[in-house]
Amino acid sequence: MPTIFVIGLGPGDWFSLPIGSHDLLQSGLPIVLRTKIHPVVEEMTRRGIAAASFDGLYDSIASFDALYLEMAEQLRERALQTGDFVYAVPGHPLIAEASVQHLLNMRDDKLNVIIQSGQSFIDPLCTALQLDPVDGLTLLDGTMLLPAQLQPRMHTFIAQVYSKQVASDVKLTLMEVYPEDFLVTVARAVGIPGAERLEQVPLF
Protein backbone atom coordinates (compact mmCIF):
# COMPACT_ATOMS: atom_id res chain seq x y z
CA MET A 1 0.00 0.00 0.00
CA PRO A 2 1.53 3.37 -0.99
CA THR A 3 2.24 5.93 1.69
CA ILE A 4 2.16 9.73 1.55
CA PHE A 5 4.42 11.20 4.22
CA VAL A 6 3.03 14.64 5.10
CA ILE A 7 5.48 17.04 6.71
CA GLY A 8 5.32 20.65 7.82
CA LEU A 9 8.06 23.05 6.77
CA GLY A 10 7.52 25.21 9.85
CA PRO A 11 7.48 28.99 9.87
CA GLY A 12 10.53 29.23 7.62
CA ASP A 13 13.79 28.21 9.28
CA TRP A 14 15.52 25.11 7.82
CA PHE A 15 17.36 24.49 11.11
CA SER A 16 14.10 24.43 13.10
CA LEU A 17 12.72 21.44 11.20
CA PRO A 18 12.40 18.19 13.20
CA ILE A 19 15.07 15.59 12.45
CA GLY A 20 12.42 13.30 10.98
CA SER A 21 11.44 15.97 8.45
CA HIS A 22 15.09 16.56 7.53
CA ASP A 23 15.48 12.82 6.98
CA LEU A 24 12.41 12.59 4.75
CA LEU A 25 13.42 15.61 2.66
CA GLN A 26 16.84 14.05 2.09
CA SER A 27 15.66 10.45 1.78
CA GLY A 28 15.50 10.39 -2.02
CA LEU A 29 11.72 9.99 -2.02
CA PRO A 30 9.91 12.27 -4.51
CA ILE A 31 8.69 15.52 -2.93
CA VAL A 32 5.55 17.49 -3.71
CA LEU A 33 5.13 20.98 -2.24
CA ARG A 34 1.84 22.78 -1.75
CA THR A 35 3.80 25.88 -2.70
CA LYS A 36 7.41 26.79 -3.42
CA ILE A 37 6.87 30.22 -1.84
CA HIS A 38 8.49 29.42 1.49
CA PRO A 39 11.97 30.13 2.91
CA VAL A 40 12.68 26.45 3.61
CA VAL A 41 12.17 25.70 -0.09
CA GLU A 42 14.87 28.24 -0.90
CA GLU A 43 17.23 26.30 1.36
CA MET A 44 16.15 22.99 -0.23
CA THR A 45 17.05 24.41 -3.63
CA ARG A 46 20.48 25.48 -2.37
CA ARG A 47 21.02 21.94 -1.10
CA GLY A 48 20.01 20.39 -4.43
CA ILE A 49 16.73 18.92 -3.18
CA ALA A 50 14.28 18.92 -6.08
CA ALA A 51 10.51 19.09 -5.66
CA ALA A 52 7.33 19.52 -7.68
CA SER A 53 4.65 21.96 -6.52
CA PHE A 54 1.01 22.92 -6.90
CA ASP A 55 1.77 26.60 -7.59
CA GLY A 56 0.41 26.29 -11.11
CA LEU A 57 -3.05 25.40 -9.80
CA TYR A 58 -3.63 28.63 -7.89
CA ASP A 59 -4.64 30.69 -10.92
CA SER A 60 -6.71 27.96 -12.55
CA ILE A 61 -9.28 27.12 -9.84
CA ALA A 62 -11.78 29.71 -8.61
CA SER A 63 -12.39 28.74 -4.96
CA PHE A 64 -9.86 27.72 -2.34
CA ASP A 65 -11.92 24.76 -1.17
CA ALA A 66 -12.05 23.41 -4.74
CA LEU A 67 -8.32 24.09 -5.07
CA TYR A 68 -7.37 22.14 -1.95
CA LEU A 69 -9.68 19.29 -2.87
CA GLU A 70 -8.05 19.09 -6.30
CA MET A 71 -4.62 18.97 -4.64
CA ALA A 72 -5.70 16.07 -2.42
CA GLU A 73 -7.18 14.18 -5.36
CA GLN A 74 -3.98 14.61 -7.38
CA LEU A 75 -1.88 13.48 -4.40
CA ARG A 76 -3.98 10.34 -3.99
CA GLU A 77 -3.80 9.54 -7.70
CA ARG A 78 -0.03 10.03 -7.74
CA ALA A 79 0.44 7.69 -4.77
CA LEU A 80 -1.68 4.98 -6.37
CA GLN A 81 0.24 5.27 -9.64
CA THR A 82 3.83 5.79 -8.49
CA GLY A 83 4.08 4.79 -4.82
CA ASP A 84 5.50 6.52 -1.75
CA PHE A 85 6.40 10.22 -1.70
CA VAL A 86 6.63 13.24 0.60
CA TYR A 87 4.02 16.01 0.65
CA ALA A 88 5.37 19.18 2.30
CA VAL A 89 3.27 22.13 3.42
CA PRO A 90 4.09 25.43 5.16
CA GLY A 91 3.84 25.45 8.95
CA HIS A 92 2.24 22.45 10.67
CA PRO A 93 0.38 19.89 8.54
CA LEU A 94 -2.75 20.02 10.70
CA ILE A 95 -3.04 23.76 11.26
CA ALA A 96 -4.86 25.73 8.54
CA GLU A 97 -4.01 23.14 5.86
CA ALA A 98 -7.22 22.17 4.05
CA SER A 99 -5.44 20.03 1.45
CA VAL A 100 -4.17 17.79 4.25
CA GLN A 101 -7.64 17.48 5.77
CA HIS A 102 -9.06 16.46 2.39
CA LEU A 103 -6.23 13.97 1.98
CA LEU A 104 -6.91 12.43 5.40
CA ASN A 105 -10.55 11.99 4.44
CA MET A 106 -9.41 9.98 1.39
CA ARG A 107 -7.52 7.34 3.39
CA ASP A 108 -8.71 3.80 2.77
CA ASP A 109 -7.30 0.30 2.30
CA LYS A 110 -5.47 1.50 -0.83
CA LEU A 111 -3.72 4.56 0.63
CA ASN A 112 -1.75 5.25 3.79
CA VAL A 113 -1.18 8.82 5.00
CA ILE A 114 1.38 9.47 7.75
CA ILE A 115 1.47 12.91 9.38
CA GLN A 116 4.82 14.10 10.74
CA SER A 117 4.80 16.68 13.48
CA GLY A 118 6.08 20.15 12.70
CA GLN A 119 6.19 23.64 14.12
CA SER A 120 3.30 25.98 13.35
CA PHE A 121 3.51 29.76 13.36
CA ILE A 122 1.76 29.76 16.76
CA ASP A 123 4.86 29.01 18.86
CA PRO A 124 7.14 31.68 17.40
CA LEU A 125 4.27 34.17 17.35
CA CYS A 126 3.60 33.62 21.06
CA THR A 127 7.33 34.02 21.66
CA ALA A 128 7.52 37.24 19.63
CA LEU A 129 4.49 38.71 21.40
CA GLN A 130 5.56 37.31 24.79
CA LEU A 131 2.14 35.94 25.61
CA ASP A 132 0.97 32.69 27.15
CA PRO A 133 -1.84 31.03 25.16
CA VAL A 134 -3.19 29.43 28.33
CA ASP A 135 -4.59 32.88 29.15
CA GLY A 136 -7.03 32.30 26.29
CA LEU A 137 -6.34 32.14 22.57
CA THR A 138 -8.60 32.10 19.53
CA LEU A 139 -7.15 31.08 16.15
CA LEU A 140 -9.26 32.15 13.16
CA ASP A 141 -9.06 31.98 9.37
CA GLY A 142 -8.98 35.44 7.80
CA THR A 143 -10.56 34.18 4.58
CA MET A 144 -13.70 33.07 6.44
CA LEU A 145 -13.87 35.49 9.35
CA LEU A 146 -17.25 36.23 10.94
CA PRO A 147 -18.08 38.78 13.68
CA ALA A 148 -19.66 36.05 15.82
CA GLN A 149 -16.28 34.28 16.06
CA LEU A 150 -14.57 37.23 17.72
CA GLN A 151 -14.01 37.16 21.47
CA PRO A 152 -12.57 40.49 22.66
CA ARG A 153 -11.57 39.09 26.06
CA MET A 154 -9.16 36.61 24.47
CA HIS A 155 -5.96 36.85 22.45
CA THR A 156 -6.92 36.42 18.81
CA PHE A 157 -4.66 35.22 15.99
CA ILE A 158 -6.04 35.66 12.48
CA ALA A 159 -4.18 33.57 9.93
CA GLN A 160 -4.32 33.30 6.12
CA VAL A 161 -4.21 37.09 5.63
CA TYR A 162 -2.21 36.69 2.44
CA SER A 163 -3.41 39.67 0.33
CA LYS A 164 -4.62 43.25 0.58
CA GLN A 165 -8.16 42.10 -0.23
CA VAL A 166 -8.20 39.59 2.64
CA ALA A 167 -6.67 42.21 4.96
CA SER A 168 -9.40 44.68 4.00
CA ASP A 169 -12.15 42.13 4.63
CA VAL A 170 -10.60 41.23 8.00
CA LYS A 171 -10.41 44.91 8.98
CA LEU A 172 -14.07 45.51 8.14
CA THR A 173 -15.15 42.43 10.08
CA LEU A 174 -13.08 43.44 13.12
CA MET A 175 -14.60 46.93 13.03
CA GLU A 176 -18.02 45.39 13.65
CA VAL A 177 -16.77 44.38 17.11
CA TYR A 178 -13.78 46.58 17.97
CA PRO A 179 -13.45 50.41 17.91
CA GLU A 180 -11.72 51.81 14.83
CA ASP A 181 -8.70 53.02 16.83
CA PHE A 182 -8.15 49.64 18.51
CA LEU A 183 -4.50 48.63 18.20
CA VAL A 184 -3.77 45.42 16.30
CA THR A 185 -0.42 43.77 15.68
CA VAL A 186 0.48 42.83 12.13
CA ALA A 187 3.03 40.00 12.13
CA ARG A 188 5.06 38.75 9.18
CA ALA A 189 7.72 36.06 8.85
CA VAL A 190 7.58 35.12 12.54
CA GLY A 191 10.33 32.71 13.48
CA ILE A 192 12.53 33.61 10.52
CA PRO A 193 15.75 35.26 11.72
CA GLY A 194 16.32 38.62 10.06
CA ALA A 195 12.90 38.69 8.40
CA GLU A 196 10.49 38.71 11.34
CA ARG A 197 8.42 41.89 11.51
CA LEU A 198 5.85 43.04 14.08
CA GLU A 199 4.03 46.33 13.64
CA GLN A 200 1.28 47.71 15.86
CA VAL A 201 -1.26 49.83 13.99
CA PRO A 202 -4.75 51.24 14.62
CA LEU A 203 -7.48 49.00 13.20
CA PHE A 204 -8.68 51.62 10.73
Side-chain angles (χ1 to χ4, degrees):
M1 180 168 58
T3 298
I4 301 176
F5 297 92
V6 184
I7 67 170
L9 298 178
D13 183 7
W14 170 264
F15 296 101
S16 294
L17 293 179
I19 292 175
S21 297
H22 276 287
D23 288 347
L24 280 168
L25 289 172
Q26 299 173 97
S27 66
L29 284 173
I31 300 169
V32 178
L33 305 167
R34 177 168 69 75
T35 178
K36 288 186 175 181
I37 305 173
H38 191 278
V40 166
V41 179
E42 297 173 12
E43 183 62 28
M44 287 170 58
T45 301
R46 283 193 286 271
R47 292 168 180 262
I49 301 172
S53 83
F54 284 119
D55 286 329
L57 283 181
Y58 280 88
D59 293 330
S60 63
I61 299 178
S63 76
F64 278 105
D65 191 55
L67 171 70
Y68 295 135
L69 179 58
E70 175 66 21
M71 289 179 183
E73 290 174 343
Q74 288 193 22
L75 290 168
R76 175 183 169 81
E77 186 63 26
R78 176 179 179 136
L80 295 179
Q81 290 185 0
T82 65
D84 299 356
F85 65 90
V86 176
Y87 178 47
V89 300
H92 190 289
L94 296 178
I95 297 179
E97 280 298 334
S99 66
V100 176
Q101 293 299 326
H102 284 304
L103 186 61
L104 289 173
N105 290 335
M106 294 177 182
R107 285 180 298 185
D108 55 24
D109 58 2
K110 295 181 180 179
L111 177 67
N112 188 27
V113 178
I114 296 178
I115 304 292
Q116 299 287 327
S117 184
Q119 186 183 37
S120 75
F121 66 91
I122 297 174
D123 288 350
L125 185 54
C126 286
T127 300
L129 297 173
Q130 297 185 359
L131 63 84
D132 187 343
V134 79
D135 295 334
L137 175 63
T138 303
L139 174 61
L140 300 173
D141 185 339
T143 66
M144 299 184 292
L145 189 63
L146 298 172
Q149 296 174 301
L150 300 172
Q151 302 184 52
R153 294 181 179 274
M154 299 179 69
H155 300 298
T156 302
F157 290 172
I158 302 174
Q160 309 286 53
V161 186
Y162 59 84
S163 69
K164 289 184 178 181
Q165 181 59 56
V166 175
S168 177
D169 292 343
V170 166
K171 177 190 74 170
L172 294 174
T173 302
L174 290 174
M175 289 176 72
E176 294 188 37
V177 177
Y178 297 87
E180 65 176 23
D181 58 352
F182 187 82
L183 292 178
V184 299
T185 300
V186 179
R188 295 194 66 181
V190 290
I192 304 176
E196 181 175 284
R197 177 185 170 194
L198 300 175
E199 183 178 3
Q200 203 170 54
V201 296
L203 179 56
F204 68 85

